[in-house]
Amino acid sequence: ATSLPLLVLITLFHGFFTAPAGPIVDGLCLKVLSEQKVSKEAYGDQRLWSAVGWGAMALVAGKLVDIYGTKCIFFCYAILVGLNVLVIQLFIHDSDEGPVTKGPQVSLRQWLQTLLKFEPMWMLTNLVIYGVLVALIENFLNVFIVQDFDHAPKVILGAATAVMCAFEIPVFKYISKLWTER
């Protein structure tokens, strides 16, 4: 059963529920780094492990799909989400500092006036364009490989993603040095 409206609906739900994952992980990383005052590690030193994990799992997933078929992706996803929830429950704890103090309250009108200025709109426009371009590369590179290379093993798709992730690692590792030298 192929249904474009169903595919669009599922894609929208998937995007809605998974879009906050990156910022939540980034926020947790920054929180942990701020609590570890003696650590000399920067954000990028921690964030690069996300690229390592993503690239490695892309290779593993490609091989698993070659061996067991596409359905194994869903089982692996369920297992990994379960492990992620377990790790969060075991290692992420609320701060003992008490409730977070809030800054001054801003009305919706003030917030919209600030948002509609040139600089925030320019930044958001750039983020949308960047997001569209990244999504095109990450999604359609695999489509290109599948369509243009007859009988290409799925591990090649994983390898393409792993190469993209490998090029992120030096950026995460050394970006803090570039920012601090400015």
Side-chain angles (χ1 to χ4, degrees):
T2 58
S3 169
L4 182 61
L6 180 60
L7 176 64
V8 169
L9 183 66
I10 290 171
T11 303
L12 287 172
F13 275 120
H14 176 267
F16 179 78
F17 287 109
T18 59
I24 289 171
V25 170
D26 289 342
L28 285 171
C29 178
L30 291 170
K31 179 181 182 233
V32 168
L33 287 173
S34 70
E35 291 173 353
Q36 296 178 352
K37 308 232 186 297
V38 293
S39 176
K40 294 182 181 178
E41 289 189 344
Y43 165 78
D45 296 323
Q46 292 297 315
R47 182 60 174 81
L48 71 85
W49 292 105
S50 178
V52 169
W54 190 268
M57 283 309 298
L59 276 173
V60 170
K63 190 62 179 170
L64 288 173
V65 169
D66 280 340
I67 295 170
Y68 299 108
T70 308
K71 291 182 182 180
C72 76
I73 292 173
F74 299 101
F75 295 114
C76 291
Y77 182 79
I79 291 168
L80 290 174
V81 167
L83 287 172
N84 193 24
V85 169
L86 180 66
V87 167
I88 289 171
Q89 289 296 317
L90 291 174
F91 296 108
I92 305 295
H93 304 288
D94 288 335
S95 171
D96 294 334
E97 299 171 4
V100 177
T101 58
K102 293 184 179 181
Q105 293 293 326
V106 177
S107 71
L108 178 61
R109 183 179 175 148
Q110 290 172 321
W111 182 78
L112 286 174
Q113 286 175 340
T114 303
L115 181 65
L116 294 176
K117 290 182 180 176
F118 175 76
E119 291 84 4
M121 291 305 292
W122 182 246
M123 182 195 73
L124 291 173
T125 303
N126 280 307
L127 286 174
V128 167
I129 292 170
Y130 173 76
V132 167
L133 295 174
V134 168
L136 285 172
I137 293 297
E138 288 183 356
N139 293 313
F140 290 114
L141 175 64
N142 290 339
V143 172
F144 168 75
I145 291 172
V146 168
Q147 286 185 345
D148 287 1
F149 295 96
D150 293 333
H151 310 292
K154 302 301 183 265
V155 74
I156 296 295
L157 302 176
T161 302
V163 168
M164 287 191 294
C165 292
F167 281 94
E168 290 179 357
I169 294 169
V171 173
F172 287 128
K173 181 66 180 165
Y174 299 111
I175 194 69
S176 64
K177 292 179 180 152
L178 290 173
W179 287 121
T180 55
E181 292 175 3
R182 290 177 76 192

Short mmCIF file of all heavy atoms in Angstrom, two decimals, residues 56-69 72 153-159:
data_model
loop_
_atom_site.label_atom_id
_atom_site.label_comp_id
_atom_site.label_asym_id
_atom_site.label_seq_id
_atom_site.Cartn_x
_atom_site.Cartn_y
_atom_site.Cartn_z
N ALA A 56 29.28 5.76 12.82
CA ALA A 56 29.47 4.33 13.07
C ALA A 56 28.16 3.57 12.93
O ALA A 56 28.11 2.50 12.31
CB ALA A 56 30.07 4.12 14.46
N MET A 57 27.09 4.12 13.49
CA MET A 57 25.81 3.43 13.40
C MET A 57 25.26 3.43 11.98
O MET A 57 24.53 2.52 11.59
CB MET A 57 24.80 4.05 14.37
CG MET A 57 25.02 3.63 15.81
SD MET A 57 25.15 1.84 16.05
CE MET A 57 23.56 1.26 15.52
N ALA A 58 25.61 4.44 11.17
CA ALA A 58 25.19 4.43 9.77
C ALA A 58 25.81 3.25 9.05
O ALA A 58 25.14 2.56 8.26
CB ALA A 58 25.57 5.75 9.10
N LEU A 59 27.09 2.99 9.31
CA LEU A 59 27.74 1.83 8.71
C LEU A 59 27.11 0.53 9.19
O LEU A 59 26.81 -0.37 8.39
CB LEU A 59 29.23 1.82 9.06
CG LEU A 59 30.14 2.66 8.19
CD1 LEU A 59 31.55 2.68 8.76
CD2 LEU A 59 30.15 2.15 6.77
N VAL A 60 26.88 0.42 10.50
CA VAL A 60 26.27 -0.78 11.06
C VAL A 60 24.86 -0.97 10.50
O VAL A 60 24.48 -2.09 10.11
CB VAL A 60 26.26 -0.70 12.61
CG1 VAL A 60 25.41 -1.82 13.20
CG2 VAL A 60 27.67 -0.75 13.15
N ALA A 61 24.09 0.10 10.45
CA ALA A 61 22.71 0.00 9.94
C ALA A 61 22.70 -0.43 8.48
O ALA A 61 21.87 -1.26 8.09
CB ALA A 61 21.99 1.33 10.10
N GLY A 62 23.61 0.11 7.68
CA GLY A 62 23.68 -0.31 6.28
C GLY A 62 23.95 -1.80 6.14
O GLY A 62 23.33 -2.50 5.34
N LYS A 63 24.87 -2.30 6.94
CA LYS A 63 25.19 -3.74 6.89
C LYS A 63 24.02 -4.59 7.39
O LYS A 63 23.70 -5.64 6.81
CB LYS A 63 26.45 -4.03 7.73
CG LYS A 63 26.99 -5.40 7.53
CD LYS A 63 27.41 -5.63 6.09
CE LYS A 63 27.97 -7.02 5.89
NZ LYS A 63 28.16 -7.34 4.49
N LEU A 64 23.35 -4.12 8.46
CA LEU A 64 22.19 -4.86 8.98
C LEU A 64 21.06 -4.91 7.95
O LEU A 64 20.39 -5.94 7.81
CB LEU A 64 21.69 -4.24 10.28
CG LEU A 64 22.58 -4.46 11.50
CD1 LEU A 64 22.06 -3.65 12.69
CD2 LEU A 64 22.67 -5.93 11.85
N VAL A 65 20.85 -3.83 7.22
CA VAL A 65 19.82 -3.82 6.18
C VAL A 65 20.20 -4.79 5.06
O VAL A 65 19.34 -5.49 4.52
CB VAL A 65 19.58 -2.39 5.65
CG1 VAL A 65 18.71 -2.41 4.41
CG2 VAL A 65 18.93 -1.53 6.73
N ASP A 66 21.49 -4.83 4.71
CA ASP A 66 21.93 -5.80 3.70
C ASP A 66 21.65 -7.23 4.15
O ASP A 66 21.27 -8.08 3.35
CB ASP A 66 23.43 -5.65 3.42
CG ASP A 66 23.74 -4.50 2.48
OD1 ASP A 66 22.83 -4.07 1.74
OD2 ASP A 66 24.89 -4.04 2.48
N ILE A 67 21.85 -7.50 5.43
CA ILE A 67 21.69 -8.88 5.94
C ILE A 67 20.23 -9.22 6.22
O ILE A 67 19.73 -10.26 5.78
CB ILE A 67 22.53 -9.07 7.23
CG1 ILE A 67 24.02 -8.93 6.90
CG2 ILE A 67 22.25 -10.42 7.86
CD1 ILE A 67 24.91 -8.87 8.14
N TYR A 68 19.51 -8.35 6.96
CA TYR A 68 18.18 -8.69 7.46
C TYR A 68 17.02 -7.98 6.76
O TYR A 68 15.87 -8.28 7.03
CB TYR A 68 18.09 -8.39 8.96
CG TYR A 68 19.09 -9.19 9.77
CD1 TYR A 68 20.18 -8.57 10.34
CD2 TYR A 68 18.94 -10.55 9.95
CE1 TYR A 68 21.11 -9.29 11.08
CE2 TYR A 68 19.85 -11.29 10.68
CZ TYR A 68 20.94 -10.65 11.23
OH TYR A 68 21.85 -11.36 11.95
N GLY A 69 17.29 -6.99 5.95
CA GLY A 69 16.22 -6.24 5.29
C GLY A 69 15.86 -4.98 6.06
O GLY A 69 16.35 -4.72 7.17
N CYS A 72 14.63 -4.44 9.98
CA CYS A 72 15.51 -4.45 11.15
C CYS A 72 15.78 -3.04 11.66
O CYS A 72 16.09 -2.86 12.84
CB CYS A 72 16.82 -5.16 10.83
SG CYS A 72 17.96 -4.21 9.83
N PRO A 153 25.04 -2.21 -2.49
CA PRO A 153 24.69 -2.67 -1.15
C PRO A 153 24.35 -1.48 -0.24
O PRO A 153 24.87 -0.38 -0.43
CB PRO A 153 25.95 -3.39 -0.67
CG PRO A 153 27.04 -2.92 -1.55
CD PRO A 153 26.43 -2.46 -2.83
N LYS A 154 23.48 -1.72 0.71
CA LYS A 154 23.04 -0.64 1.60
C LYS A 154 24.16 -0.13 2.49
O LYS A 154 24.12 0.98 2.99
CB LYS A 154 21.87 -1.11 2.47
CG LYS A 154 20.67 -1.59 1.68
CD LYS A 154 20.11 -0.54 0.77
CE LYS A 154 18.87 -0.99 0.06
NZ LYS A 154 19.08 -1.54 -1.26
N VAL A 155 25.20 -0.94 2.67
CA VAL A 155 26.32 -0.49 3.47
C VAL A 155 27.00 0.71 2.80
O VAL A 155 27.61 1.54 3.48
CB VAL A 155 27.30 -1.65 3.76
CG1 VAL A 155 28.11 -2.01 2.52
CG2 VAL A 155 28.21 -1.31 4.93
N ILE A 156 26.85 0.85 1.49
CA ILE A 156 27.39 2.03 0.79
C ILE A 156 26.66 3.29 1.26
O ILE A 156 27.26 4.35 1.43
CB ILE A 156 27.26 1.87 -0.73
CG1 ILE A 156 28.09 0.70 -1.22
CG2 ILE A 156 27.62 3.15 -1.46
CD1 ILE A 156 29.57 0.88 -1.05
N LEU A 157 25.36 3.19 1.50
CA LEU A 157 24.60 4.33 2.02
C LEU A 157 25.11 4.72 3.40
O LEU A 157 25.28 5.89 3.71
CB LEU A 157 23.10 4.00 2.08
CG LEU A 157 22.44 3.59 0.77
CD1 LEU A 157 20.99 3.20 1.03
CD2 LEU A 157 22.53 4.69 -0.24
N GLY A 158 25.35 3.71 4.22
CA GLY A 158 25.90 3.97 5.55
C GLY A 158 27.28 4.57 5.47
O GLY A 158 27.64 5.47 6.23
N ALA A 159 28.09 4.11 4.51
CA ALA A 159 29.44 4.64 4.35
C ALA A 159 29.40 6.10 3.93
O ALA A 159 30.22 6.91 4.39
CB ALA A 159 30.21 3.81 3.34
#
